[in-house]
Amino acid sequence: MPRHSLAEFDALPYPILDVRAPIEFAQGHVPGALSLPLFTDEERARIGTAYKQVSQERAVHMGLEFFGPKMSAMVKQAKKLAPGKEVRLHCWRGGMRSGAVLWLLELAGFKVHLLDKGYKDYRRAVLASFAAPRPWRVLGGLTGSGKTDVLRVLAAAHGQPVLDLEGLAHHKGSAFGAIGQPAQPTQEQFENNLAAALEQLPPDVPVWVEDESRQIGRLTIPLPMFEQMRQAPRYVLQVPREARVAKLAAEYGAENPAELAAAIERLHKRLGGLATQQALAAVEAGDFERMVERVLDYYDKTYTHGLTPRSGEQALTLVPVAGCNPAENAATLLRTVAASGI
């Protein structure tokens, strides 16, 4: 029964089976892990109640009563999830649940590698990873500047390390940010996915990241990492307003008008009554450039206010560009970086 440290566990190539209850797995899990719950959510709750209100012995007996009838089905499911019959396994703390499933799977001919101290230790490492210092380059620009497109070109065409926070968060970071996106993960899963993405990046080479507020939709960038981003060199694309309006109108014109109207309603207090009504009327008329014009005033004002120098910030460099061509803008950006020496 190999019992591994987290570093050893991470290095193994075998499927990860998570034997915690479905509700725990849904809240957050190791990216790529497969759910093989020992107990249902209801069973887990009943065992917990017995442990607190009766005794540990009663809780253990209840667990065995639940476990016995499902052993055959669990083995069959494990074979489907891991046909090679060699797996990594964990529960919350590396205790009874993973121990019971380890015994069962080894009895069925599996080779099992157990995570010592379980998912709890993994989460500790995830949270600690955000405090690790690393160099950042922050890409800013007013709404509609095509920052995400430029980041993709930097990664694909220039081999630059890039962290796509909005992609991980399934949100574009504004009142309209959820439109056309998958449902956002839980905060815990966002952190797990973020830590996994960071692990794939070089620790000593500047990583490009988009200039974000700490909130992306309902998710929050971990504070230690966010503080590093706020102190990093910032390059701000200066894209003409007409180019930004055209880009945003083309993007949002393809979306559901009802969702656009709902997003505008959420901005009512910030836009004011007249601008809100004009934007809603533009959506109804299919005039998406006019809709964008009405909303963009608010976003431009808000972001421009955020361009004031930040405490501890190394540098803020303006990067004038002609339009929203991501390939051209990425090349201009890299020339600016080379010239600045930062």
Side-chain angles (χ1 to χ4, degrees), residues 41-226:
D41 295 334
E42 181 185 359
E43 289 167 348
R44 172 177 171 263
R46 289 177 60 188
I47 291 168
T49 300
Y51 183 89
K52 292 177 182 178
Q53 297 183 358
V54 184
S55 67
Q56 180 180 2
E57 182 178 1
R58 175 58 190 143
V60 170
H61 281 298
M62 184 177 289
L64 290 173
E65 290 168 1
F66 291 142
F67 182 34
K70 63 177 70 175
M71 288 193 291
S72 176
M74 285 193 72
V75 169
K76 290 176 182 177
Q77 180 64 14
K79 288 179 179 178
K80 289 181 181 179
L81 297 174
K85 298 186 72 173
E86 186 161 6
V87 298
R88 291 177 283 173
L89 183 75
H90 73 81
C91 62
W92 168 237
R93 285 183 293 195
M96 288 192 208
R97 285 187 289 180
S98 57
V101 178
L102 180 146
W103 168 83
L104 174 65
L105 293 185
E106 287 191 335
L107 192 65
F110 281 75
K111 183 172 183 180
V112 181
H113 302 269
L114 192 65
L115 175 59
D116 193 26
K117 301 178 184 176
Y119 180 78
K120 183 178 182 180
D121 197 44
Y122 165 78
R123 279 291 295 165
R124 178 201 57 75
V126 163
L127 296 176
S129 71
F130 302 128
R134 65 170 63 239
W136 297 97
R137 284 183 181 142
V138 177
L139 180 61
L142 295 170
T143 301
S145 296
K147 300 182 289 292
T148 300
D149 296 336
V150 171
L151 289 178
R152 288 171 180 159
V153 171
L154 288 173
H158 299 279
Q160 295 279 305
V162 167
L163 180 68
D164 183 2
L165 283 171
E166 292 184 354
L168 291 168
H170 298 171
H171 200 283
K172 295 180 181 178
S174 71
F176 298 83
I179 297 174
Q181 299 292 310
Q184 288 196 277
T186 65
Q187 178 67 30
E188 184 173 312
Q189 192 59 48
F190 172 64
E191 292 166 355
N192 292 351
N193 295 342
L194 177 57
L198 288 172
E199 193 174 3
Q200 299 303 311
L201 295 169
D204 53 357
V205 176
V207 174
W208 286 100
V209 66
E210 190 166 333
D211 195 12
E212 303 280 0
S213 64
R214 195 173 169 213
Q215 288 292 129
I216 308 179
R218 59 176 174 74
L219 300 176
T220 304
I221 300 171
L223 183 58
M225 176 180 156
F226 184 70

